Amino acid sequence: IRESATLTRDVLEQHFSDLKGTLKKLLDERLMSLLQEVDAIEQESIKPLDECQKLIEHGISTADDLLREGESAVHGDVGQQNEKLCSFTKKALHIQLDSLPEVPSLVDVPCLSAQLDDCLLTILKDQIFRHGTVASRPPVQLEEFVEKPGGILVRWCKVDDDFIPQDYRLQYRKSAASHFEDVYVGSETEFIVLHIDPNVDYQFRVCARGDGRQEWSPWSVPQIGRTTLVPHEWTAGLEGYSLSSRRNIALRNDSQSCGVLYSKAPTYSCGQTLTFRIETVGQPDRRDSLGVCVEQQNGSDSLQRDKAVCISTNGAVFVNGKEMTNQLPAVTSGSTVTFDMEVVQLGPCSNEGGNFKLRVTISSNNREVVFDWVLDQCCGSLYFGCSFSYPGWKVLVF
């Protein structure tokens, strides 16, 4: 409580300090804009009046000079009087002393004033006193961490009955990292975080955005999650497939070589969920396969064989090489295919010749098939694999 209270005080003080600086900057910018507007109006309005004043002053000065010259001609010597009067007369005829520039009426001359609405203070006061809230607890909290190979399934839940969420935002960071980063934003209440190093602590937190709101709620209490399961990886080096840097994505390339791409090790165990996600699709073929097997058989070009269960890209399900009557939808770009297995029999040999039975559930596109897979040996862990006859297929495993 003390730690969160101290952190909340620091956040509030920093936020309002930043707000003060921003408001001062905005007020200074507005003041500068209004002063520039005053300068512009003043310069634009005063220019014709200044020109008019200059013309009037010039006319008065000219008339004054002519008046002096006339007085000089009248009071001068008799010999020069005629010459001066002649010169005075010529100048007087050329100078229009009876005309002045048009002077605008007083009501047409701009008279600047500042209009300042005092209601701004009232509006700001109302907004400021409603700005910010202090919550005793966040409306959503982390609920569960489920270990996945190379990942963690994170679940969260709403703890405030009055809060109506629109979106959730999940963040995580390594225990040694300083900054959280977004890993999911959406309406679901669970998400599988991939690319997790095994046996390393990760810190998670979640928040939510209320229906019709723009701001996010306070963060949940950060919690530690980790996985002890090594990530699933494809075997590198097979000519027909290109792998991502983490070797969890396989792309069927343009090579003519065709075969089954297996996992690097038998990392799938009963009780776990194995997921294939189709990132891109190519031309389908009836020999295509996605599934699990007891052992690698490098001479085979498909998992539609003994000691393997798989699904073809057209949705056909094969158990030990035999096609089942039940069929799943054909896979498309973005489809996920999941395998779940559990041990249902372990004992002496049955009439079918096996002594180890697994109950297998294969799901794809919101449909699933369930069957028993009979083996003649106990298998604690299994390989997974895929095979595609044509290029363009890309599949992620986790």
Side-chain angles (χ1 to χ4, degrees):
I1 294 175
R2 289 193 177 96
E3 183 179 352
S4 63
T6 300
L7 179 61
T8 302
R9 291 188 191 97
D10 293 341
V11 170
L12 288 172
E13 290 174 356
Q14 183 62 48
H15 174 76
F16 277 85
S17 175
D18 295 341
L19 201 60
K20 288 177 185 177
T22 303
L23 285 174
K24 184 180 184 305
K25 181 180 178 182
L26 291 174
L27 289 172
D28 289 342
E29 289 178 355
R30 181 56 179 165
L31 174 60
M32 185 60 64
S33 174
L34 291 172
L35 292 176
Q36 290 174 351
E37 192 173 341
V38 170
D39 294 341
I41 295 174
E42 181 185 24
Q43 292 175 7
E44 182 180 357
S45 303
I46 205 71
K47 184 178 179 180
L49 294 177
D50 285 342
E51 292 176 350
C52 181
Q53 182 178 0
K54 288 179 181 178
L55 289 173
I56 294 173
E57 289 175 350
H58 177 71
I60 292 174
S61 176
T62 302
D64 190 49
D65 292 341
L66 187 63
L67 179 63
R68 289 193 185 95
E69 187 174 344
E71 290 176 348
S72 176
V74 171
H75 299 295
D77 297 336
V78 176
Q80 299 177 346
Q81 192 173 32
N82 291 333
E83 183 180 351
K84 289 182 176 180
L85 285 173
C86 182
S87 173
F88 169 78
T89 303
K90 288 181 179 179
K91 288 183 179 180
L93 290 174
H94 288 89
I95 297 175
Q96 296 180 350
L97 297 177
D98 59 345
S99 66
L100 288 172
E102 183 181 359
V103 179
S105 62
L106 191 61
V107 294
D108 293 331
V109 178
C111 180
L112 281 73
S113 62
Q115 294 176 307
L116 303 173
D117 194 347
D118 291 337
C119 72
L120 176 63
L121 293 176
T122 303
I123 296 172
L124 286 176
K125 181 179 178 181
D126 292 340
Q127 292 293 327
I128 288 172
F129 281 120
R130 288 201 302 264
H131 180 68
T133 58
V134 176
S136 60
R137 57 174 52 86
V140 291
Q141 293 285 7
L142 295 168
E143 183 179 30
E144 184 182 16
F145 298 100
V146 180
E147 294 186 43
K148 297 289 183 180
I152 300 174
L153 172 61
V154 184
R155 292 193 176 104
W156 53 89
C157 62
K158 181 171 71 92
V159 295
D160 184 350
D161 294 336
D162 297 329
F163 184 79
I164 302 175
Q166 174 180 301
D167 291 309
Y168 298 99
R169 181 182 180 188
L170 178 67
Q171 290 189 336
Y172 84 126
R173 68 180 178 185
K174 267 189 176 181
S175 56
S178 57
H179 298 291
F180 282 93
E181 59 182 272
D182 286 341
V183 69
Y184 173 76
V185 175
S187 59
E188 300 296 327
T189 55
E190 65 178 37
F191 183 75
I192 296 180
V193 183
L194 299 176
H195 306 156
I196 295 292
D197 296 328
N199 301 310
V200 174
D201 286 342
Y202 286 81
Q203 199 171 40
F204 295 87
R205 65 181 185 181
V206 68
C207 65
R209 180 163 49 197
D211 190 20
R213 306 296 294 270
Q214 293 297 321
E215 70 277 6
W216 292 99
S217 73
W219 290 105
S220 66
V221 177
Q223 295 190 43
I224 300 296
R226 62 157 46 199
T227 181
T228 59
L229 305 176
V230 297
H232 293 317
E233 294 182 10
W234 299 104
T235 299
L238 190 62
E239 184 179 350
Y241 295 88
S242 304
L243 305 183
S244 63
S245 59
R246 289 183 174 266
R247 295 185 293 278
N248 60 342
I249 299 177
L251 170 66
R252 179 69 168 90
N253 55 36
D254 295 332
S255 172
Q256 296 297 320
S257 175
C258 184
V260 178
L261 177 65
Y262 292 101
S263 58
K264 181 179 178 181
T267 52
Y268 175 62
S269 302
C270 292
Q272 298 178 2
T273 298
L274 177 70
T275 303
F276 299 97
R277 188 169 71 206
I278 307 300
E279 305 290 331
T280 60
V281 298
Q283 180 181 339
D285 185 86
R286 65 181 184 84
R287 296 291 295 167
D288 294 342
S289 59
L290 287 166
V292 297
C293 57
V294 176
E295 58 191 10
Q296 298 182 3
Q297 291 184 9
N298 294 326
S300 176
D301 63 351
S302 175
L303 287 175
Q304 299 171 17
R305 59 170 176 81
D306 190 36
K307 296 185 179 180
V309 293
C310 67
I311 176 176
S312 178
T313 51
N314 63 8
V317 178
F318 292 85
V319 181
N320 290 333
K322 296 179 181 180
E323 184 175 356
M324 296 182 62
T325 55
N326 293 336
Q327 185 165 331
L328 293 169
V331 298
T332 57
S333 180
S335 292
T336 56
V337 180
T338 62
F339 287 76
D340 289 276
M341 300 187 185
E342 60 177 337
V343 179
V344 294
Q345 180 179 322
L346 180 61
C349 292
S350 65
N351 295 331
E352 295 173 319
N355 63 349
F356 189 71
K357 184 185 293 185
L358 299 177
R359 181 147 298 155
V360 182
T361 302
I362 305 178
S363 302
S364 177
N365 293 335
N366 297 321
R367 289 182 58 186
E368 65 179 29
V369 295
V370 182
F371 56 89
D372 288 340
W373 182 22
V374 179
L375 298 170
D376 58 4
Q377 60 186 27
C378 180
C379 296
S381 56
L382 299 165
Y383 290 90
F384 57 85
C386 69
S387 65
F388 300 101
S389 299
Y390 297 99
W393 292 93
K394 182 190 288 187
V395 57
L396 164 70
V397 62
F398 59 91

